[in-house]
Amino acid sequence: MAGHSHAKNVMHQKGKSDAKKAKIFNKLAREIAVAAKMGSPDPGANPRLRAAIIEARKNNMTRDRIERAIKSAQPGAADNANYDEVRYEGYGPGGVALIIEALTDNRNRTASELRTALSKHGGTLGESNSVAFMFSRVGQIIYPAAVASADAMLEAVIDAGGDNVESGTEMHDITTSVDDFGTVRAALEKKFGEPQSARLTWNPQTLVPVTGEPAQNLVKLLDALDDDDDVQNVFGNFDIAAAELETLAS
């Protein structure tokens, strides 16, 4: 019985992994399609599309799936869908502020699902701009640490017009203003090649420590939001200690 139970458990875990991968691919494909529809289908002339393709490759999406996503955005495509970019704001457990970016073909459905998820885990959905003032909208570009020394990257970022760079043992984390994001990314790509990641993000101005039961509920909420097909990104001003996360995972 133990062996049979173990086999079922392995199958269940693999099923969960496959389902999660499918959700990630669906979200990436949606972003690629929206980026291609809003600009050129040529990633060389469309920075947002190029960034989406970089993210897709990082997650091992096949070239065929990427090309199908781009083609789906073209006029007359059989699976052409109209997605709206919507930003939702609210509060999670422990009073943390959350910004949720979604791509949806049904705003009412998405708002209802997010409201339910937040309420179930001790949060609330707020009005537009109810928490955005707690964040700064910036460009973020990430390179592996191996591409350059900290000094060389700092010099390159300054020359390109970037605002800041934090270099660690694994990566260089570069921030820019929204207006300079494209220019800085192009300059760094010319010098160091394709980045590991390049996107616009929301940086919290201060962090709120979360522990105990609120931390447990927050992790459950983030998992629920991650499972929502319409949700693309979630940003928050929470700080959960590594030791706390290990406890929650055990």
Side-chain angles (χ1 to χ4, degrees):
M1 289 296 293
H4 178 69
S5 175
H6 174 70
K8 286 189 69 176
N9 185 55
V10 169
M11 289 173 63
H12 176 65
Q13 293 298 329
K14 182 179 184 300
K16 286 179 66 176
S17 176
D18 289 346
K20 191 168 186 65
K21 183 180 290 187
K23 281 185 175 292
I24 291 172
F25 282 3
N26 286 339
K27 292 185 181 190
L28 290 168
R30 189 175 292 193
E31 169 62 18
I32 289 170
V34 169
K37 192 166 190 174
M38 293 180 65
S40 168
D42 174 15
N46 185 336
R48 177 172 174 175
L49 177 58
R50 186 163 70 251
I53 291 175
I54 289 172
E55 190 67 21
R57 288 174 181 161
K58 190 173 74 175
N59 283 276
N60 300 314
M61 182 183 279
T62 64
R63 180 187 295 272
D64 178 65
R65 182 73 186 272
I66 292 171
E67 290 178 350
R68 280 192 284 121
I70 294 173
K71 289 178 181 177
S72 73
Q74 304 311 302
D79 53 349
N80 188 301
N82 291 314
Y83 294 107
D84 293 327
E85 291 184 280
V86 189
R87 186 180 82 224
Y88 299 92
E89 301 177 29
Y91 290 92
V96 303
L98 298 173
I99 293 179
I100 304 164
E101 293 180 338
L103 290 175
T104 177
D105 57 356
N106 187 324
R107 289 174 179 245
N108 291 334
R109 179 198 66 224
T110 303
S112 176
E113 290 176 350
L114 294 184
R115 187 176 291 107
T116 298
L118 285 161
S119 177
K120 181 179 179 181
H121 299 289
T124 56
L125 190 64
E127 300 293 331
S128 296
N129 299 314
S130 59
V131 304
F133 67 92
M134 302 181 194
F135 296 78
S136 299
R137 185 67 161 160
V138 299
Q140 180 188 49
I141 304 168
I142 294 176
Y143 276 96
V147 303
S149 68
D151 288 343
M153 181 58 74
L154 176 60
E155 182 180 354
V157 170
I158 291 173
D159 290 343
D163 290 344
N164 187 44
V165 56
E166 294 183 8
S167 297
T169 57
E170 296 184 357
M171 67 179 70
H172 302 286
D173 188 347
I174 300 135
T175 54
T176 78
S177 69
V178 173
D179 291 341
D180 293 335
F181 174 60
T183 302
V184 174
R185 178 172 58 183
L188 295 179
E189 281 185 358
K190 188 173 182 180
K191 191 173 183 67
F192 300 115
E194 204 171 80
Q196 182 176 316
S197 174
R199 63 173 184 166
L200 295 177
T201 186
W202 294 90
N203 279 357
Q205 296 171 5
T206 57
L207 294 175
V208 177
V210 186
T211 60
E213 186 176 348
Q216 294 177 18
N217 289 331
L218 178 57
V219 170
K220 291 176 182 177
L221 171 59
L222 295 175
D223 284 342
L225 294 175
D226 190 48
D227 280 342
D228 192 302
D229 289 335
D230 295 337
V231 174
Q232 294 293 107
N233 301 296
V234 179
F235 306 95
N237 65 349
F238 54 85
D239 181 19
I240 303 176
E244 184 88 16
L245 284 174
E246 289 180 7
T247 301
L248 295 174
S250 62

